[in-house]
């Protein structure tokens, strides 16, 4: 979704943090609920209709296709990967209306087959239905594809990536949990080892609820029962954090947009003015009642013990109230708000007095359902967007909006490099460098002639880089002998 330019100086990315479903996972879609007239209007417009996709719901589930499945011919009657790429390129070249005229109207390909070019497995509930029944799904799939950033053809090789590093002067680095896993801090979605896979004992319908602001308000103990597992225990940092610091030292770092809440960037020496903590961090905490703010260190002991940290300022007020004569005490509601003093000075009913509890100290991290910091949208749209000449996305699957939309918000002619263990398919990066983040960045620095020093990088480390079959711009990094 292209969200720029922002109208009237507003920041279009000032929206609550939400989990988003990328197109490489299953999404519930009820195709029969969409009229063909609606499909036709989508075909003929250049607007992004991803909201229409998200609004479709039902019991029938549409399975999303990955390019690897097309390449391996795993779906009968589907396009080959080469055909799919050709259709996608043609769509971007001539626009949606002309593309539909060229394919569906002229009947050069069926809507059912064309759906597979844009990542949709023909659903079983439409088996035997007229081809027109696939138009609603196809309309939305075409609109989603048309809104995606397209890969720039000039950047494909490791040498291209190294050249971009050397020549670029204003680099945006967007980071996720993958840059901290080598320090023993779990990411969220890795199978068996990710944090979400270990939360079944909490009895949540969805493990992501542990970071839901409504759940926190109802029972903060759920969050604090796992907070100790993601809280950094030492002042250390990974080679990837060191790489970001190296970009800063070379005067190349424009901004590090980090989704991480561990604040490890500071340990590496990345300056506060070069970091946007997209989801906040544990660096500070605020009382949910009186808004008293403290440094994160002040409550780390309680968090590490698995306790719910309480506000010391609230406690002092409560203790002071306890020393006053009963008639002079201030009545407080259960949420800690002070009631009108005169209202209760006329009352002698001791049962009216409610003993308040201290407020909970909530770390200043952004939960699902809360707005991102103002600085995120303001800096991205009104400053960095005009200066950036290279984007490097490291250690994130880009599943959380609005940060996930950053690659698409930035100018599409700016090269983008993706570094992580597994690729993503819902946005088009120019070069995919797959492997452990620390290994990838250390090898890039070697090839660039840069000295990235870190005790976790062996002096004699040798890295083997192999291209992925069928992808000229996708490469796998593996330590020799590992």
């Amino acid at each position: 979704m292209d969200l720029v330019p922002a109208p009237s100086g507003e920041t279009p990315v000032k929206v609550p943090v939400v989990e988003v479903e990328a197109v490489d996972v299953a999404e519930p879609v009820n195709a029969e609920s969409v009229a063909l007239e609606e499909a036709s209007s989508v075909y003929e417009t250049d607007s992004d209709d991803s909201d229409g996709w998200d609004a479709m719901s039902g019991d029938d589930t549409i399975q999303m296709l990955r390019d690897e499945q097309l390449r391996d011919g795993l779906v009968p009657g589907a396009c080959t990967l080469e055909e799919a790429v050709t259709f996608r390129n043609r769509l971007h070249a001539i626009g949606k209306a002309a593309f539909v005229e060229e394919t569906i109207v002229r009947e050069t390909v069926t809507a059912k087959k064309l759906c597979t070019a844009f990542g949709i497995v023909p659903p079983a509930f439409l088996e035997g239905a007229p081809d027109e029944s696939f138009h609603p799904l196809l309309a939305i799939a075409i609109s989603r594809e048309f809104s995606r950033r397209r890969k720039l053809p000039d950047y494909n090789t490791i040498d291209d990536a190294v050249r971009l590093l050397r020549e670029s002067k204003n680099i945006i680095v967007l980071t996720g949990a993958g840059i901290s896993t080598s320090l023993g801090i779990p990411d969220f979605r890795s199978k068996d080892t990710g944090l979400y896979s270990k939360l079944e004992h909490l009895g949540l319908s969805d493990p992501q609820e542990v970071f839901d602001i409504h759940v926190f308000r109802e029972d903060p103990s759920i969050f604090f029962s796992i907070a100790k597992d993601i809280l950094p225990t030492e002042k250390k940092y990974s080679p990837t954090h060191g790489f970001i610091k190296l970009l800063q030292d070379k005067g190349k770092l424009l901004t590090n947009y980090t989704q991480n809440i561990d604040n490890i960037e500071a340990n590496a020496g990345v300056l506060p003015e070069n970091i946007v903590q997209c989801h906040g961090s544990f660096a500070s905490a605020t009382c949910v009642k009186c808004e008293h703010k403290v440094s994160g260190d002040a409550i780390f002991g309680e968090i590490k013990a698995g306790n719910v940290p309480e506000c010391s300022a609230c406690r002092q007020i409560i203790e002071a109230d306890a020393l006053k004569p009963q008639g002079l005490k201030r009545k407080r509601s259960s949420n800690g708000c002070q009631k009108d003093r005169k209202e209760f000075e006329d009352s002698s009913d001791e049962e009216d007095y409610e003993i308040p509890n201290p407020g909970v100290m909530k770390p200043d991290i952004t939960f699902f359902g809360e707005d991102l910091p103002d600085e995120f949208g303001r800096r991205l749209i009104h400053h960095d967007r005009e200066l950036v000449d290279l984007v490097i996305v490291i250690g994130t699957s880009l599943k959380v909006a609005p940060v996930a939309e950053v690659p698409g918000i930035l100018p599409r002619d700016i090269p983008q490099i993706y570094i992580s263990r597994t690729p993503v398919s819902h946005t088009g990066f120019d070069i995919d460098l797959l492997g452990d983040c620390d290994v990838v960045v250390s090898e890039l620095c070697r090839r660039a002639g840069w000295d990235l020093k870190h005790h976790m990088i062996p002096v004699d480390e040798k890295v083997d880089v192999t291209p992925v079959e069928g992808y000229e711009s996708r490469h796998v990094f593996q330590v020799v002998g590992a």
Side-chain angles (χ1 to χ4, degrees), residues 333-390:
S333 64
S334 59
N335 65 1
C337 297
Q338 181 175 327
K339 297 293 185 69
D340 183 77
R341 182 168 183 168
K342 186 177 188 306
E343 176 184 349
F344 297 104
E345 286 179 342
D346 296 333
S347 172
S348 60
D349 187 356
E350 293 186 3
E351 293 183 358
D352 283 346
Y353 183 73
E354 179 181 337
I355 299 176
N357 296 317
V360 174
M361 296 302 298
K362 174 185 173 294
D364 291 333
I365 64 177
T366 306
F367 281 60
F368 290 120
E370 291 188 300
D371 288 342
L372 263 67
D374 292 337
E375 182 187 10
F376 169 72
R378 182 170 55 245
R379 180 158 177 162
L380 179 67
I381 300 299
H382 301 296
H383 182 265
D384 290 357
R385 190 177 186 277
E386 301 302 321
L387 298 175
V388 61
D389 55 10
L390 175 64

Side-chain angles (χ1 to χ4, degrees), residues 92-301:
H92 286 275
I94 65 177
K96 289 191 287 188
F99 178 79
V100 171
E101 169 70 27
E102 189 174 275
T103 55
I104 300 303
V105 177
R106 297 182 186 177
E107 298 183 347
T108 59
V109 62
T110 65
K112 179 179 179 180
K113 182 175 182 179
L114 194 53
C115 279
T116 66
F118 301 110
I120 298 177
V121 178
F125 65 84
L126 287 180
E127 186 65 34
D131 196 56
E132 289 80 3
S133 300
F134 291 87
H135 286 192
L137 288 175
L138 180 60
I140 297 174
I142 285 176
S143 187
R144 285 170 66 93
E145 172 63 31
F146 193 73
S147 69
R148 289 175 55 183
R149 177 190 182 272
R150 298 294 289 167
K151 177 190 172 336
L152 301 176
D154 296 337
Y155 308 103
N156 300 287
T157 68
I158 303 299
D159 289 341
D160 291 336
V162 171
R163 177 170 53 84
L164 287 169
L165 276 179
R166 286 174 172 167
E167 296 177 356
S168 300
K169 299 179 179 179
N170 292 295
I171 302 175
I172 283 180
V173 181
L174 175 58
T175 51
I179 73 169
S180 298
T181 54
S182 62
L183 302 176
I185 299 174
D187 63 7
F188 296 98
R189 295 172 182 82
S190 292
K191 185 179 180 180
D192 299 327
T193 61
L195 184 65
Y196 289 156
S197 68
K198 301 178 180 180
L199 299 182
E200 294 181 359
H201 67 283
L202 294 178
L204 303 174
S205 59
D206 183 338
Q208 293 167 183
E209 290 181 1
V210 75
F211 292 106
D212 186 285
I213 188 59
H214 304 293
V215 173
F216 181 88
R217 289 167 179 161
E218 291 177 4
D219 186 0
S221 67
I222 294 177
F223 167 76
F224 286 108
S225 70
I226 63 94
K228 60 182 181 297
D229 297 326
I230 55 177
L231 186 69
T233 57
E234 301 178 39
K235 297 294 184 180
K236 57 185 180 179
Y237 59 91
S238 72
T240 305
H241 292 97
F243 169 71
I244 300 170
K245 169 64 160 52
L246 183 59
L247 292 178
Q248 174 182 277
D249 293 345
K250 291 182 174 294
K252 293 175 175 288
L253 181 62
L254 181 59
T255 304
N256 175 198
Y257 289 89
T258 176
Q259 299 174 88
N260 298 335
I261 56 179
D262 49 36
N263 199 39
I264 295 178
E265 297 84 5
N267 296 346
V270 182
L271 298 174
E273 56 265 32
N274 291 333
I275 304 173
V276 172
Q277 305 272 10
C278 302
H279 296 159
S281 78
F282 278 104
S284 59
T286 303
C287 175
V288 298
K289 288 185 178 180
C290 72
E291 298 186 354
H292 176 62
K293 188 179 289 287
V294 300
S295 69
D297 292 338
I299 62 170
F300 282 178

Side-chain angles (χ1 to χ4, degrees), residues 21-29 53 61-66:
E21 292 291 343
V23 298
D24 58 347
V25 297
E27 297 185 40
V29 179
W53 180 280
T61 299
I62 303 301
Q63 295 295 323
M64 306 307 297
L65 273 171
R66 294 186 296 273

Side-chain angles (χ1 to χ4, degrees), residues 155-157 160-161 416-418 429-433 473 475:
Y155 308 103
N156 300 287
T157 68
D160 291 336
Q416 299 191 6
I417 298 173
Y418 182 72
F429 289 100
D430 303 311
I431 307 175
D432 293 322
L433 307 179
S473 61
H475 312 272

